[in-house]
Amino acid sequence: PLTASTNFPNPFWLTGWSGVVNNAQFDLGHIKGFSLELSVGGEIAFGETVSGSFSLDPFRAVEVVEVLPTLEEAKCIKEEGLYLFEWATHFYRRIEFQVNGCCDLCHEDSDCLFALTNGRDCLLAGNNDFNTSYVGIYSTQREIDTYQTFWTNSAEKRGDWCQKCSCESDTIDCRGYDLLIMPKTFDNSTGFIPRVLDLREN
């Protein structure tokens, strides 16, 4: 039977050094997974081998659970409270009457990094157009109710941290790289493990 406790030698023994203790209660209705640990008694030095056998018979799944597919990643990220000044007309490409589809338009546009909806039109801004002097914070309830600001979530357009910045030692150094948007991906196939992210002078 599936019974467990925190006491040895119960077959389902919560050792404390493996797994998550939480309330230390074994609840059959909340089993999400399991792991097997083989413990060897006696003084065994590192690198030595032991032999033996164990049996898991009978061991079978009693219920097949359908795993739902992962939800599609958002194409854009809504930036609450950030306002891109609408009057800077040279800063935007205006697409009239496209409020609801503005995120999709930015996602499909190869140059779009940021988008703004003003209750009627969709305004797209690319890398070459962007000027931080045209960025502000909503100051009135009307602006909060009227405008929505997005930035792209495209890995292709946002790029990789180590391509946009310098990755050396234990630091991703982005100082002075004039980043307009946070990179999205991180390729650690080289074994580089960062501990510091420096975003000064951007």
Side-chain angles (χ1 to χ4, degrees), residues 1-15 24-28 31:
L2 286 177
T3 59
S5 75
T6 57
N7 301 317
F8 176 82
N10 193 295
F12 292 92
W13 172 33
L14 182 59
T15 62
Q25 301 298 312
F26 186 63
D27 190 336
L28 293 175
I31 298 176

Side-chain angles (χ1 to χ4, degrees), residues 43-183:
E43 296 295 330
I44 304 297
F46 182 78
E48 293 185 6
T49 60
V50 296
S51 62
S53 63
F54 64 94
S55 173
L56 292 177
D57 183 49
F59 193 78
R60 62 187 178 89
V62 297
E63 182 180 358
V64 177
V65 179
E66 180 182 2
V67 179
L68 296 176
T70 303
L71 294 177
E72 183 179 356
E73 189 175 32
K75 297 177 182 178
C76 302
I77 297 174
K78 183 178 179 181
E79 189 65 51
E80 299 288 349
L82 186 68
Y83 177 53
L84 305 180
F85 296 139
E86 183 185 6
W87 47 260
T89 55
H90 61 286
F91 173 63
Y92 295 108
R93 283 160 287 152
R94 182 184 298 268
I95 303 175
E96 295 184 328
F97 309 112
Q98 288 289 339
V99 172
N100 294 330
C102 194
C103 172
D104 290 330
L105 289 171
C106 183
H107 180 75
E108 294 164 3
D109 188 294
S110 60
D111 295 323
C112 180
L113 294 180
F114 306 94
L116 172 74
T117 61
N118 61 4
R120 194 195 80 154
D121 302 332
C122 172
L123 298 95
L124 307 180
N127 189 52
N128 295 328
D129 308 320
F130 194 79
N131 188 320
T132 54
S133 64
Y134 300 137
V135 179
I137 303 297
Y138 294 134
S139 57
T140 67
Q141 187 61 45
R142 175 188 172 278
E143 290 175 339
I144 295 174
D145 294 339
T146 303
Y147 298 100
Q148 286 189 350
T149 300
F150 304 91
W151 46 286
T152 182
N153 198 29
S154 166
E156 181 180 358
K157 287 189 277 187
R158 289 173 56 186
D160 185 88
W161 282 100
C162 290
Q163 292 177 350
K164 296 291 186 179
C165 303
S166 174
C167 292
E168 297 180 359
S169 184
D170 62 350
T171 301
I172 300 178
D173 188 356
C174 299
R175 290 175 298 171
Y177 277 78
D178 197 25
L179 293 179
L180 298 178
I181 192 170
M182 287 285 206

